[in-house]
Amino acid sequence: MPGRDDTPILKTSHLLGIEGISVGEITALLDLADDYVTLGRSAEKKLGLLKGRTLINLFFEASTRTQSSFELAGKRLGADVLNMSVKTSSVSKGETLIDTATTLNAMRPDILVVRHQDSGAAELLSRKLDCCVVNAGDGSHEHPTQALLDALTIRRRRGGFEGLIVTICGDVLHSRVARSNIVLLSKMGARVRIAAPRTLLPADADRLGVEIFTDMRAALAGADIVMMLRLQQERMAGAFVPSTREYFRFYGLDREKLKLAKPGAFVMHPGPMNRGVEIDSTVADDIEVSVIQEQVEMGVAIRMAVLDALSRGLAAGGRNAP
Ligand code: ASP
């Protein structure tokens, strides 16, 4: 049964990024999440591990999957969960990130899950607050639980990572999902390729330790896994692509392009999808090749594992030391 064990899993009391965690810590989280997948598939899904603990979900950006799965994960572990909707909070009246978080901190949460449009926001809060902080996406920087759930999906399908060719395709420039996945997959021994038009490649792409392609077809040749990214229009100040139609022609995944990947290759997407822009519905909805719904299931399990792991470090009396 998951969580009966109190062996520490994470060395720090926050989960801010994949950058800061080791191969051993990642493996231990994935092992624990495997147990939570089993629990999630059983009739009785609830444990009392976080009974009496308070989890606050503080989301400054829209979210469907991440916020609801953290909520479900907290509830399945027995925590009291508060969802802060930024639109109805004082943030819309001009309260700063720190003011809002300090106010919430005074309510003595044990774990704060935060999503914010600025890179570094979660790290900043982890220095100011005295609870565990989980980064649920900070600007275009990191989204660690997404990379962990993707890793769980891959490991359960392929048994490991060593030597797998993973092609990450699309708006790499604005994608925190791509950054966290590149770091995680490289650490675990996979070969990562990124494919994007030049305008959507990060300036530091050659320092990421990946193979870089502007020709999607070449990037797909022989790939074991194809991970598609959303075109993040909300982070684009100007025009990064001539038109979405043109973009689909060169960088949209359809059946014909997918044929270039290895036989048996599967397709991932963190959601939300722009159908007909980066992915065609005939691929996205084909359960023979698409694991997109499985990723959502793995998201709940991985977030339970992360909350369980962080709660092991909480002092018996309550929160972390200031
Ligand atoms: N849901 C993911 C994120 O929050 C991916 C995306 O929005 O495209 O970064």
Side-chain angles (χ1 to χ4, degrees), residues 67-128:
Q67 184 168 346
S68 54
S69 59
F70 266 114
E71 180 179 356
L72 207 51
K75 286 179 173 167
R76 284 188 182 170
L77 291 174
D80 293 315
V81 182
L82 174 70
N83 286 309
M84 279 299 295
S85 163
V86 169
K87 277 192 203 74
T88 57
S89 78
S90 300
V91 174
S92 55
K93 298 178 199 152
E95 201 168 84
T96 66
L97 166 67
I98 297 288
D99 284 343
T100 307
T102 310
T103 304
L104 293 175
N105 197 46
M107 296 176 192
R108 303 185 67 86
D110 298 288
I111 302 177
L112 179 78
V113 175
V114 63
R115 168 171 290 189
H116 195 273
Q117 58 278 10
D118 294 340
S119 302
E123 199 268 334
L124 177 68
L125 291 182
S126 73
R127 285 190 276 115
K128 301 275 179 199

Tab-separated table of all heavy atoms in Angstrom, residues 67-128:
chain	number	residue	atom	x	y	z
A	67	GLN	N	-4.692	21.644	-12.264
A	67	GLN	CA	-5.389	22.038	-11.044
A	67	GLN	C	-6.336	20.946	-10.539
A	67	GLN	O	-6.344	20.604	-9.365
A	67	GLN	CB	-6.166	23.335	-11.288
A	67	GLN	CG	-6.811	23.821	-9.993
A	67	GLN	CD	-7.351	25.238	-10.098
A	67	GLN	OE1	-7.046	25.975	-11.023
A	67	GLN	NE2	-8.159	25.612	-9.137
A	68	SER	N	-7.107	20.354	-11.464
A	68	SER	CA	-8.061	19.345	-10.989
A	68	SER	C	-7.337	18.100	-10.490
A	68	SER	O	-7.780	17.460	-9.538
A	68	SER	CB	-9.089	19.006	-12.063
A	68	SER	OG	-8.430	18.637	-13.245
A	69	SER	N	-6.203	17.766	-11.095
A	69	SER	CA	-5.533	16.554	-10.617
A	69	SER	C	-4.818	16.790	-9.289
A	69	SER	O	-4.755	15.888	-8.462
A	69	SER	CB	-4.610	15.959	-11.676
A	69	SER	OG	-3.637	16.876	-12.046
A	70	PHE	N	-4.330	18.001	-9.043
A	70	PHE	CA	-3.769	18.282	-7.707
A	70	PHE	C	-4.890	18.245	-6.666
A	70	PHE	O	-4.700	17.765	-5.548
A	70	PHE	CB	-3.050	19.638	-7.666
A	70	PHE	CG	-1.570	19.539	-7.930
A	70	PHE	CD1	-1.005	20.101	-9.062
A	70	PHE	CD2	-0.733	18.871	-7.045
A	70	PHE	CE1	0.365	20.007	-9.313
A	70	PHE	CE2	0.637	18.766	-7.282
A	70	PHE	CZ	1.179	19.345	-8.416
A	71	GLU	N	-6.059	18.758	-7.044
A	71	GLU	CA	-7.187	18.747	-6.112
A	71	GLU	C	-7.583	17.317	-5.764
A	71	GLU	O	-7.723	16.938	-4.603
A	71	GLU	CB	-8.374	19.501	-6.739
A	71	GLU	CG	-9.576	19.533	-5.815
A	71	GLU	CD	-10.770	20.302	-6.398
A	71	GLU	OE1	-10.638	20.886	-7.488
A	71	GLU	OE2	-11.818	20.292	-5.732
A	72	LEU	N	-7.707	16.516	-6.809
A	72	LEU	CA	-8.089	15.114	-6.607
A	72	LEU	C	-7.011	14.368	-5.820
A	72	LEU	O	-7.316	13.594	-4.912
A	72	LEU	CB	-8.280	14.470	-7.989
A	72	LEU	CG	-9.230	13.311	-8.107
A	72	LEU	CD1	-10.575	13.638	-7.479
A	72	LEU	CD2	-9.414	12.965	-9.582
A	73	ALA	N	-5.767	14.637	-6.153
A	73	ALA	CA	-4.653	13.956	-5.472
A	73	ALA	C	-4.681	14.299	-3.979
A	73	ALA	O	-4.566	13.411	-3.122
A	73	ALA	CB	-3.321	14.381	-6.090
A	74	GLY	N	-4.861	15.582	-3.666
A	74	GLY	CA	-4.906	15.998	-2.260
A	74	GLY	C	-6.075	15.346	-1.541
A	74	GLY	O	-5.935	14.816	-0.434
A	75	LYS	N	-7.236	15.331	-2.180
A	75	LYS	CA	-8.431	14.752	-1.545
A	75	LYS	C	-8.280	13.244	-1.363
A	75	LYS	O	-8.682	12.696	-0.349
A	75	LYS	CB	-9.674	15.079	-2.374
A	75	LYS	CG	-10.078	16.536	-2.217
A	75	LYS	CD	-11.293	16.893	-3.036
A	75	LYS	CE	-11.758	18.318	-2.694
A	75	LYS	NZ	-12.719	18.832	-3.654
A	76	ARG	N	-7.701	12.582	-2.369
A	76	ARG	CA	-7.531	11.126	-2.236
A	76	ARG	C	-6.560	10.769	-1.119
A	76	ARG	O	-6.588	9.675	-0.580
A	76	ARG	CB	-7.062	10.521	-3.561
A	76	ARG	CG	-8.201	10.438	-4.554
A	76	ARG	CD	-7.824	9.673	-5.801
A	76	ARG	NE	-8.944	9.670	-6.720
A	76	ARG	CZ	-8.891	9.262	-7.975
A	76	ARG	NH1	-7.750	8.806	-8.463
A	76	ARG	NH2	-9.952	9.284	-8.742
A	77	LEU	N	-5.699	11.726	-0.769
A	77	LEU	CA	-4.772	11.470	0.341
A	77	LEU	C	-5.322	12.000	1.663
A	77	LEU	O	-4.658	11.948	2.684
A	77	LEU	CB	-3.401	12.093	0.042
A	77	LEU	CG	-2.615	11.427	-1.098
A	77	LEU	CD1	-1.349	12.215	-1.403
A	77	LEU	CD2	-2.252	9.987	-0.746
A	78	GLY	N	-6.522	12.536	1.613
A	78	GLY	CA	-7.188	12.945	2.859
A	78	GLY	C	-6.972	14.388	3.283
A	78	GLY	O	-7.393	14.783	4.375
A	79	ALA	N	-6.310	15.213	2.459
A	79	ALA	CA	-6.049	16.616	2.848
A	79	ALA	C	-7.293	17.487	2.653
A	79	ALA	O	-8.196	17.141	1.903
A	79	ALA	CB	-4.908	17.173	2.003
A	80	ASP	N	-7.291	18.635	3.327
A	80	ASP	CA	-8.292	19.669	3.025
A	80	ASP	C	-7.705	20.491	1.893
A	80	ASP	O	-6.556	20.940	1.986
A	80	ASP	CB	-8.529	20.562	4.247
A	80	ASP	CG	-9.185	19.786	5.365
A	80	ASP	OD1	-10.142	19.038	5.081
A	80	ASP	OD2	-8.714	19.892	6.521
A	81	VAL	N	-8.475	20.675	0.829
A	81	VAL	CA	-7.937	21.349	-0.358
A	81	VAL	C	-8.700	22.642	-0.623
A	81	VAL	O	-9.927	22.652	-0.655
A	81	VAL	CB	-8.038	20.437	-1.607
A	81	VAL	CG1	-7.435	21.128	-2.826
A	81	VAL	CG2	-7.347	19.094	-1.358
A	82	LEU	N	-7.946	23.730	-0.765
A	82	LEU	CA	-8.556	25.023	-1.100
A	82	LEU	C	-8.072	25.446	-2.481
A	82	LEU	O	-6.864	25.502	-2.733
A	82	LEU	CB	-8.125	26.073	-0.057
A	82	LEU	CG	-8.562	27.510	-0.324
A	82	LEU	CD1	-10.065	27.661	-0.138
A	82	LEU	CD2	-7.827	28.466	0.608
A	83	ASN	N	-9.006	25.705	-3.377
A	83	ASN	CA	-8.641	26.195	-4.707
A	83	ASN	C	-8.814	27.697	-4.746
A	83	ASN	O	-9.920	28.195	-4.547
A	83	ASN	CB	-9.549	25.567	-5.774
A	83	ASN	CG	-9.189	24.130	-6.017
A	83	ASN	OD1	-8.030	23.790	-6.250
A	83	ASN	ND2	-10.176	23.254	-5.936
A	84	MET	N	-7.720	28.417	-4.967
A	84	MET	CA	-7.808	29.869	-5.055
A	84	MET	C	-7.985	30.272	-6.501
A	84	MET	O	-7.088	30.089	-7.307
A	84	MET	CB	-6.509	30.508	-4.558
A	84	MET	CG	-6.405	30.627	-3.058
A	84	MET	SD	-7.714	31.649	-2.361
A	84	MET	CE	-7.308	33.224	-3.077
A	85	SER	N	-9.152	30.830	-6.786
A	85	SER	CA	-9.373	31.307	-8.132
A	85	SER	C	-8.901	32.751	-8.195
A	85	SER	O	-9.406	33.608	-7.474
A	85	SER	CB	-10.856	31.196	-8.477
A	85	SER	OG	-11.104	31.987	-9.593
A	86	VAL	N	-7.922	33.003	-9.022
A	86	VAL	CA	-7.288	34.316	-9.033
A	86	VAL	C	-8.256	35.409	-9.485
A	86	VAL	O	-8.213	36.529	-9.000
A	86	VAL	CB	-6.018	34.254	-9.901
A	86	VAL	CG1	-5.467	35.631	-10.161
A	86	VAL	CG2	-4.977	33.402	-9.189
A	87	LYS	N	-9.166	35.060	-10.348
A	87	LYS	CA	-10.112	36.069	-10.851
A	87	LYS	C	-10.988	36.627	-9.742
A	87	LYS	O	-11.378	37.769	-9.751
A	87	LYS	CB	-11.000	35.467	-11.933
A	87	LYS	CG	-10.327	35.468	-13.283
A	87	LYS	CD	-11.325	35.144	-14.390
A	87	LYS	CE	-10.617	34.594	-15.591
A	87	LYS	NZ	-10.158	33.199	-15.409
A	88	THR	N	-11.305	35.770	-8.745
A	88	THR	CA	-12.193	36.243	-7.681
A	88	THR	C	-11.407	36.708	-6.451
A	88	THR	O	-11.979	37.088	-5.464
A	88	THR	CB	-13.172	35.125	-7.247
A	88	THR	OG1	-12.391	33.999	-6.848
A	88	THR	CG2	-14.103	34.735	-8.360
A	89	SER	N	-10.092	36.636	-6.528
A	89	SER	CA	-9.298	37.035	-5.367
A	89	SER	C	-8.869	38.495	-5.488
A	89	SER	O	-9.147	39.168	-6.477
A	89	SER	CB	-8.058	36.158	-5.262
A	89	SER	OG	-7.106	36.604	-6.205
A	90	SER	N	-8.115	38.949	-4.470
A	90	SER	CA	-7.655	40.343	-4.483
A	90	SER	C	-6.594	40.597	-5.537
A	90	SER	O	-6.210	41.734	-5.760
A	90	SER	CB	-7.064	40.706	-3.127
A	90	SER	OG	-8.033	40.549	-2.153
A	91	VAL	N	-6.093	39.522	-6.166
A	91	VAL	CA	-5.078	39.716	-7.193
A	91	VAL	C	-5.626	40.615	-8.296
A	91	VAL	O	-4.955	41.501	-8.800
A	91	VAL	CB	-4.619	38.369	-7.776
A	91	VAL	CG1	-3.679	38.583	-8.941
A	91	VAL	CG2	-3.937	37.561	-6.697
A	92	SER	N	-6.915	40.425	-8.615
A	92	SER	CA	-7.503	41.253	-9.660
A	92	SER	C	-7.634	42.702	-9.191
A	92	SER	O	-7.848	43.597	-9.968
A	92	SER	CB	-8.843	40.680	-10.107
A	92	SER	OG	-9.662	40.528	-8.994
A	93	LYS	N	-7.509	42.923	-7.880
A	93	LYS	CA	-7.549	44.312	-7.374
A	93	LYS	C	-6.141	44.862	-7.224
A	93	LYS	O	-5.935	45.901	-6.615
A	93	LYS	CB	-8.265	44.354	-6.020
A	93	LYS	CG	-9.708	43.912	-6.075
A	93	LYS	CD	-10.319	43.949	-4.682
A	93	LYS	CE	-11.568	43.086	-4.612
A	93	LYS	NZ	-11.795	42.575	-3.267
A	94	GLY	N	-5.156	44.147	-7.648
A	94	GLY	CA	-3.800	44.683	-7.656
A	94	GLY	C	-2.873	44.126	-6.587
A	94	GLY	O	-1.758	44.596	-6.428
A	95	GLU	N	-3.318	43.142	-5.811
A	95	GLU	CA	-2.443	42.571	-4.792
A	95	GLU	C	-1.309	41.821	-5.487
A	95	GLU	O	-1.521	41.160	-6.488
A	95	GLU	CB	-3.251	41.608	-3.914
A	95	GLU	CG	-2.641	41.346	-2.566
A	95	GLU	CD	-3.621	40.615	-1.636
A	95	GLU	OE1	-3.699	39.386	-1.724
A	95	GLU	OE2	-4.296	41.282	-0.844
A	96	THR	N	-0.096	41.925	-4.956
A	96	THR	CA	1.031	41.276	-5.628
A	96	THR	C	1.075	39.787	-5.295
A	96	THR	O	0.427	39.320	-4.355
A	96	THR	CB	2.366	41.889	-5.171
A	96	THR	OG1	2.534	41.562	-3.794
A	96	THR	CG2	2.403	43.384	-5.376
A	97	LEU	N	1.916	39.085	-6.046
A	97	LEU	CA	2.117	37.654	-5.814
A	97	LEU	C	2.518	37.398	-4.369
A	97	LEU	O	1.947	36.555	-3.682
A	97	LEU	CB	3.220	37.150	-6.768
A	97	LEU	CG	3.821	35.781	-6.484
A	97	LEU	CD1	2.805	34.678	-6.701
A	97	LEU	CD2	5.043	35.533	-7.368
A	98	ILE	N	3.483	38.173	-3.888
A	98	ILE	CA	3.985	37.953	-2.525
A	98	ILE	C	2.903	38.261	-1.482
A	98	ILE	O	2.709	37.495	-0.541
A	98	ILE	CB	5.236	38.837	-2.256
A	98	ILE	CG1	6.381	38.436	-3.190
A	98	ILE	CG2	5.683	38.771	-0.800
A	98	ILE	CD1	7.027	37.106	-2.861
A	99	ASP	N	2.164	39.365	-1.686
A	99	ASP	CA	1.105	39.708	-0.724
A	99	ASP	C	0.061	38.602	-0.639
A	99	ASP	O	-0.362	38.202	0.438
A	99	ASP	CB	0.397	41.015	-1.134
A	99	ASP	CG	1.238	42.237	-0.819
A	99	ASP	OD1	2.192	42.106	-0.020
A	99	ASP	OD2	0.947	43.306	-1.376
A	100	THR	N	-0.350	38.112	-1.806
A	100	THR	CA	-1.375	37.064	-1.827
A	100	THR	C	-0.854	35.821	-1.124
A	100	THR	O	-1.540	35.214	-0.296
A	100	THR	CB	-1.725	36.693	-3.290
A	100	THR	OG1	-2.042	37.888	-3.965
A	100	THR	CG2	-2.881	35.731	-3.360
A	101	ALA	N	0.378	35.442	-1.472
A	101	ALA	CA	0.929	34.224	-0.905
A	101	ALA	C	1.148	34.374	0.599
A	101	ALA	O	0.923	33.438	1.363
A	101	ALA	CB	2.228	33.877	-1.613
A	102	THR	N	1.552	35.575	1.037
A	102	THR	CA	1.784	35.784	2.474
A	102	THR	C	0.459	35.684	3.227
A	102	THR	O	0.383	35.122	4.315
A	102	THR	CB	2.440	37.168	2.718
A	102	THR	OG1	3.550	37.291	1.837
A	102	THR	CG2	2.930	37.322	4.141
A	103	THR	N	-0.591	36.216	2.616
A	103	THR	CA	-1.917	36.118	3.235
A	103	THR	C	-2.331	34.659	3.372
A	103	THR	O	-2.771	34.214	4.430
A	103	THR	CB	-2.957	36.886	2.375
A	103	THR	OG1	-2.492	38.221	2.234
A	103	THR	CG2	-4.335	36.858	2.987
A	104	LEU	N	-2.132	33.908	2.287
A	104	LEU	CA	-2.504	32.486	2.333
A	104	LEU	C	-1.638	31.740	3.344
A	104	LEU	O	-2.104	30.857	4.051
A	104	LEU	CB	-2.354	31.857	0.947
A	104	LEU	CG	-3.333	32.372	-0.099
A	104	LEU	CD1	-3.017	31.771	-1.461
A	104	LEU	CD2	-4.770	32.024	0.297
A	105	ASN	N	-0.380	32.145	3.445
A	105	ASN	CA	0.552	31.506	4.367
A	105	ASN	C	0.067	31.647	5.815
A	105	ASN	O	0.236	30.745	6.627
A	105	ASN	CB	1.937	32.147	4.201
A	105	ASN	CG	3.043	31.316	4.797
A	105	ASN	OD1	3.095	30.111	4.577
A	105	ASN	ND2	3.920	31.935	5.568
A	106	ALA	N	-0.572	32.792	6.089
A	106	ALA	CA	-1.075	33.030	7.444
A	106	ALA	C	-2.199	32.063	7.802
A	106	ALA	O	-2.547	31.893	8.965
A	106	ALA	CB	-1.543	34.476	7.571
A	107	MET	N	-2.778	31.423	6.786
A	107	MET	CA	-3.824	30.421	7.051
A	107	MET	C	-3.204	29.063	7.341
A	107	MET	O	-3.898	28.066	7.459
A	107	MET	CB	-4.773	30.342	5.856
A	107	MET	CG	-5.531	31.633	5.631
A	107	MET	SD	-6.543	31.533	4.145
A	107	MET	CE	-6.994	33.245	3.944
A	108	ARG	N	-1.891	29.034	7.402
A	108	ARG	CA	-1.112	27.859	7.776
A	108	ARG	C	-1.346	26.629	6.881
A	108	ARG	O	-1.658	25.543	7.366
A	108	ARG	CB	-1.341	27.505	9.248
A	108	ARG	CG	-1.012	28.676	10.170
A	108	ARG	CD	-1.122	28.328	11.641
A	108	ARG	NE	-0.111	27.370	12.065
A	108	ARG	CZ	1.123	27.674	12.454
A	108	ARG	NH1	1.502	28.936	12.459
A	108	ARG	NH2	1.967	26.743	12.824
A	109	PRO	N	-1.171	26.812	5.581
A	109	PRO	CA	-1.230	25.617	4.724
A	109	PRO	C	0.035	24.778	4.935
A	109	PRO	O	1.054	25.295	5.402
A	109	PRO	CB	-1.230	26.205	3.306
A	109	PRO	CG	-0.489	27.493	3.436
A	109	PRO	CD	-0.809	28.021	4.816
A	110	ASP	N	-0.029	23.525	4.593
A	110	ASP	CA	1.169	22.671	4.648
A	110	ASP	C	1.845	22.623	3.285
A	110	ASP	O	3.056	22.525	3.198
A	110	ASP	CB	0.761	21.259	5.093
A	110	ASP	CG	0.162	21.285	6.483
A	110	ASP	OD1	0.923	21.484	7.438
A	110	ASP	OD2	-1.075	21.176	6.609
A	111	ILE	N	1.014	22.656	2.238
A	111	ILE	CA	1.567	22.596	0.878
A	111	ILE	C	0.863	23.647	0.013
A	111	ILE	O	-0.369	23.763	0.040
A	111	ILE	CB	1.372	21.199	0.248
A	111	ILE	CG1	2.038	20.114	1.128
A	111	ILE	CG2	1.939	21.147	-1.182
A	111	ILE	CD1	1.855	18.687	0.642
A	112	LEU	N	1.655	24.415	-0.725
A	112	LEU	CA	1.094	25.391	-1.660
A	112	LEU	C	1.502	24.966	-3.073
A	112	LEU	O	2.687	24.807	-3.361
A	112	LEU	CB	1.644	26.789	-1.358
A	112	LEU	CG	1.141	27.897	-2.285
A	112	LEU	CD1	-0.273	28.326	-1.903
A	112	LEU	CD2	2.061	29.112	-2.236
A	113	VAL	N	0.505	24.768	-3.919
A	113	VAL	CA	0.768	24.438	-5.322
A	113	VAL	C	0.542	25.716	-6.103
A	113	VAL	O	-0.539	26.311	-6.015
A	113	VAL	CB	-0.194	23.330	-5.812
A	113	VAL	CG1	-0.008	23.059	-7.293
A	113	VAL	CG2	0.008	22.050	-5.005
A	114	VAL	N	1.533	26.182	-6.838
A	114	VAL	CA	1.375	27.481	-7.497
A	114	VAL	C	1.683	27.427	-8.990
A	114	VAL	O	2.643	26.786	-9.422
A	114	VAL	CB	2.229	28.564	-6.781
A	114	VAL	CG1	3.714	28.269	-6.851
A	114	VAL	CG2	1.944	29.958	-7.343
A	115	ARG	N	0.834	28.080	-9.750
A	115	ARG	CA	1.091	28.304	-11.183
A	115	ARG	C	1.095	29.808	-11.411
A	115	ARG	O	0.174	30.516	-10.964
A	115	ARG	CB	0.020	27.648	-12.044
A	115	ARG	CG	0.100	28.120	-13.496
A	115	ARG	CD	-0.787	27.334	-14.411
A	115	ARG	NE	-0.281	25.979	-14.598
A	115	ARG	CZ	-0.775	25.121	-15.481
A	115	ARG	NH1	-1.791	25.470	-16.239
A	115	ARG	NH2	-0.270	23.910	-15.609
A	116	HIS	N	2.104	30.288	-12.120
A	116	HIS	CA	2.217	31.725	-12.342
A	116	HIS	C	2.859	31.975	-13.695
A	116	HIS	O	3.672	31.169	-14.160
A	116	HIS	CB	3.061	32.345	-11.212
A	116	HIS	CG	2.966	33.831	-11.130
A	116	HIS	ND1	3.789	34.658	-11.857
A	116	HIS	CD2	2.144	34.641	-10.411
A	116	HIS	CE1	3.470	35.919	-11.585
A	116	HIS	NE2	2.474	35.942	-10.718
A	117	GLN	N	2.523	33.092	-14.273
A	117	GLN	CA	3.031	33.408	-15.616
A	117	GLN	C	4.512	33.797	-15.640
A	117	GLN	O	5.118	33.837	-16.705
A	117	GLN	CB	2.173	34.506	-16.280
A	117	GLN	CG	2.065	35.827	-15.545
A	117	GLN	CD	1.018	35.842	-14.427
A	117	GLN	OE1	0.460	34.808	-14.046
A	117	GLN	NE2	0.766	37.014	-13.882
A	118	ASP	N	5.110	34.070	-14.477
A	118	ASP	CA	6.519	34.479	-14.468
A	118	ASP	C	7.444	33.327	-14.093
A	118	ASP	O	7.223	32.648	-13.080
A	118	ASP	CB	6.746	35.617	-13.459
A	118	ASP	CG	6.034	36.894	-13.884
A	118	ASP	OD1	5.711	37.018	-15.084
A	118	ASP	OD2	5.791	37.746	-13.011
A	119	SER	N	8.512	33.175	-14.869
A	119	SER	CA	9.527	32.180	-14.541
A	119	SER	C	10.140	32.564	-13.204
A	119	SER	O	10.411	33.748	-12.964
A	119	SER	CB	10.622	32.170	-15.617
A	119	SER	OG	10.060	31.896	-16.873
A	120	GLY	N	10.327	31.608	-12.325
A	120	GLY	CA	10.954	31.892	-11.031
A	120	GLY	C	9.952	32.204	-9.921
A	120	GLY	O	10.341	32.363	-8.758
A	121	ALA	N	8.652	32.287	-10.235
A	121	ALA	CA	7.658	32.651	-9.213
A	121	ALA	C	7.612	31.623	-8.076
A	121	ALA	O	7.569	31.990	-6.893
A	121	ALA	CB	6.281	32.796	-9.851
A	122	ALA	N	7.649	30.347	-8.421
A	122	ALA	CA	7.557	29.305	-7.382
A	122	ALA	C	8.790	29.335	-6.480
A	122	ALA	O	8.689	29.198	-5.255
A	122	ALA	CB	7.401	27.929	-8.033
A	123	GLU	N	9.916	29.568	-7.092
A	123	GLU	CA	11.169	29.597	-6.318
A	123	GLU	C	11.142	30.781	-5.342
A	123	GLU	O	11.522	30.653	-4.177
A	123	GLU	CB	12.338	29.703	-7.310
A	123	GLU	CG	13.692	29.294	-6.754
A	123	GLU	CD	14.457	30.469	-6.177
A	123	GLU	OE1	14.225	31.620	-6.615
A	123	GLU	OE2	15.272	30.238	-5.279
A	124	LEU	N	10.651	31.908	-5.830
A	124	LEU	CA	10.545	33.100	-4.984
A	124	LEU	C	9.663	32.801	-3.763
A	124	LEU	O	10.023	33.100	-2.623
A	124	LEU	CB	9.958	34.255	-5.810
A	124	LEU	CG	9.709	35.566	-5.081
A	124	LEU	CD1	11.025	36.218	-4.683
A	124	LEU	CD2	8.916	36.530	-5.974
A	125	LEU	N	8.521	32.167	-4.008
A	125	LEU	CA	7.616	31.862	-2.901
A	125	LEU	C	8.240	30.878	-1.926
A	125	LEU	O	8.048	30.978	-0.714
A	125	LEU	CB	6.291	31.304	-3.433
A	125	LEU	CG	5.419	32.294	-4.191
A	125	LEU	CD1	4.122	31.638	-4.617
A	125	LEU	CD2	5.111	33.521	-3.328
A	126	SER	N	9.014	29.940	-2.450
A	126	SER	CA	9.611	28.932	-1.558
A	126	SER	C	10.577	29.591	-0.569
A	126	SER	O	10.817	29.068	0.505
A	126	SER	CB	10.321	27.850	-2.365
A	126	SER	OG	11.533	28.360	-2.902
A	127	ARG	N	11.101	30.764	-0.952
A	127	ARG	CA	12.023	31.461	-0.040
A	127	ARG	C	11.272	32.335	0.963
A	127	ARG	O	11.794	32.686	1.990
A	127	ARG	CB	13.019	32.310	-0.840
A	127	ARG	CG	14.095	31.434	-1.512
A	127	ARG	CD	15.221	32.238	-2.103
A	127	ARG	NE	14.901	32.720	-3.443
A	127	ARG	CZ	14.759	33.996	-3.757
A	127	ARG	NH1	14.911	34.929	-2.841
A	127	ARG	NH2	14.470	34.339	-5.003
A	128	LYS	N	10.039	32.696	0.622
A	128	LYS	CA	9.289	33.623	1.479
A	128	LYS	C	8.323	32.912	2.438
A	128	LYS	O	7.932	33.474	3.440
A	128	LYS	CB	8.451	34.585	0.618
A	128	LYS	CG	9.265	35.414	-0.354
A	128	LYS	CD	9.810	36.647	0.305
A	128	LYS	CE	10.633	37.454	-0.681
A	128	LYS	NZ	11.530	38.394	-0.016
